[in-house]
Amino acid sequence: MIRQAQPGDAASVIPLIYSAIGDIAFTLTGTSDPEQAQHILREFFERRDNRLSYENTLVAERDGRPVGFILFYHGSRTAELDRPLVERLAAIGQPDVTLTKEARDDEFYLDSLAVDPAYQGQGIAKALMEAFEAEAARRGYDKVSLIVEESNDKARRLYEAKGYEADGQLQVSGHLYDHMVKRVVPVK
């Protein structure tokens, strides 16, 4: 079952977000301590109106708990959704940190996706991606995008199989990523 995430899903979802975004977690939270980074990620997940919020997240539920997630937002909302993160970084003495804009303004952006290792290979990631694309179409968007780390061949194969094509590169938190896009048919 795929459903809208709720704040109470944090205990299951935050370790998955952390595993999906890697070093980006340290940039977003201003700490290099994994435990502290996950604590801060959780605080943002449980809040509204920011990039990491449960509002922007769907979860795949199995055995009564979330075992996968997909987080997304429209690229035109990036500055607005990143503002609480930037303000927190400034408040802890890191006002010069710049968060790389990963999505373009005309794209519905798949920020992150992960499935619990015990549930991988069951089609959950594909189902979450289909739900993301259906949400884009439902909202009237015709282009979806994501980034994939240059060295992540497994994820790249999934995205290419789903019809995504690389159209550029960008550097995020010291790693090189390919930006990939796909056209979808909006629901009228």
Side-chain angles (χ1 to χ4, degrees):
M1 175 175 106
I2 295 177
R3 62 169 175 79
Q4 177 64 47
Q6 299 299 317
D9 295 326
S12 296
V13 174
I14 292 308
L16 295 174
I17 289 176
Y18 181 75
S19 73
I21 65 176
D23 289 347
I24 296 171
F26 302 135
T27 302
L28 295 176
T29 62
T31 181
S32 59
D33 177 79
E35 201 169 297
Q36 188 178 9
Q38 289 184 66
H39 176 76
I40 295 164
L41 292 173
R42 182 179 184 140
E43 289 177 359
F44 279 107
F45 178 83
E46 292 174 339
R47 290 176 40 189
R48 299 172 57 90
D49 299 324
N50 72 85
R51 177 201 295 212
L52 300 166
S53 175
Y54 69 92
E55 294 176 305
N56 304 322
T57 307
L58 297 178
V59 295
E61 191 174 280
R62 300 286 188 282
D63 305 323
R65 70 177 185 89
V67 298
F69 85 97
I70 191 163
L71 191 150
F72 50 79
Y73 50 86
H74 197 269
S76 65
R77 295 190 64 213
T78 302
E80 164 197 349
L81 293 173
D82 281 353
R83 188 170 300 114
L85 296 157
V86 171
E87 288 171 354
R88 184 193 169 281
L89 290 169
I92 63 168
Q94 297 181 24
D96 298 329
V97 172
T98 301
L99 301 183
T100 302
K101 187 171 181 352
E102 300 166 17
R104 298 176 187 145
D105 285 346
D106 66 339
E107 301 169 339
F108 196 57
Y109 180 64
L110 189 168
D111 180 280
S112 48
L113 162 71
V115 175
D116 182 312
Y119 291 84
Q120 290 177 2
Q122 299 178 25
I124 295 171
K126 288 179 185 175
L128 286 164
M129 288 192 70
E130 288 167 6
F132 158 71
E133 292 173 9
E135 184 65 18
R138 187 187 69 73
R139 294 184 189 194
Y141 302 131
D142 67 352
K143 186 170 31 168
V144 293
S145 71
L146 54 86
I147 62 171
V148 60
E149 193 164 5
E150 194 175 47
S151 62
N152 191 342
D153 293 331
K154 181 179 178 184
R156 180 184 318 283
R157 282 191 301 275
L158 169 65
Y159 302 145
E160 288 172 345
K162 298 286 296 163
Y164 288 79
E165 297 178 356
D167 74 342
Q169 291 187 316
L170 67 154
Q171 187 131 1
V172 182
S173 299
H175 299 268
L176 191 59
Y177 289 81
D178 287 327
H179 181 270
M180 301 181 80
V181 297
K182 177 181 177 178
R183 292 287 177 181
V184 293
V185 178
V187 176
K188 303 217 183 214

